[in-house]
Amino acid sequence: VQLQASGGGLVQAGGSLRLSCAGSGSIFSINAMAWFRQAPGKEREFVAVIRWSGGSNGNTFYRDSLKDRFTISRDRAKNTVYLEMNSLKPEDTAVYYCAAGRPITSSMRSDSAYPHWGQGTQVTVSS
């Protein structure tokens, strides 16, 4: 599975961005795609995941502190997952990575549960 992330950039605080992650290759081998982020000097952290189960819109789970501002969604026909980020804050500045795999429920927030990773896209929020 190959993942191509895009959509990052520089935005002012309060603004919005939409990240995209396009999957290709052995898509049949995965049942979830997730976003993680890593800020300078910090460990990579879970942002959101969408699992294929749960109908056409999938099941979604978020980092608690982000669920009111971020929305993960997917376009099944395009094998693409999106991360809509609103009301951005300077502390959202990070490299955002998309990941894919078949995580079990108890591990879906752990980066070790995802064998496939995109290259990362930089999001910078200015104050």
Side-chain angles (χ1 to χ4, degrees), residues 1-112:
V1 176
Q2 292 78 47
L3 303 175
Q4 180 71 41
S6 61
L10 174 64
V11 64
Q12 288 188 332
S16 299
L17 280 176
R18 188 177 79 157
L19 306 183
S20 301
C21 179
S24 61
S26 302
I27 297 297
F28 60 86
S29 68
I30 65 172
N31 67 0
M33 290 177 72
W35 288 96
F36 288 78
R37 68 184 184 181
Q38 187 167 21
K42 295 187 177 181
E43 293 187 354
R44 187 160 55 188
E45 64 181 22
F46 169 78
V47 174
V49 60
I50 185 165
R51 306 178 75 178
W52 294 177
S53 60
S56 61
N57 293 326
N59 277 336
T60 59
F61 301 89
Y62 297 89
R63 188 176 190 84
D64 287 344
S65 60
L66 300 176
K67 62 184 178 181
D68 292 334
R69 298 188 293 119
F70 288 15
T71 302
I72 190 170
S73 62
R74 66 169 175 163
D75 183 326
R76 295 178 67 177
K78 296 181 179 179
N79 292 324
T80 298
V81 169
Y82 305 97
L83 184 69
E84 184 77 32
M85 305 184 294
N86 298 312
S87 302
L88 283 163
K89 304 175 181 180
E91 51 264 44
D92 294 318
T93 295
V95 177
Y96 285 70
Y97 298 90
C98 60
R102 298 183 68 87
I104 59 176
T105 301
S106 60
S107 66
M108 63 182 178
R109 291 177 171 83
S110 172
D111 58 3
S112 63

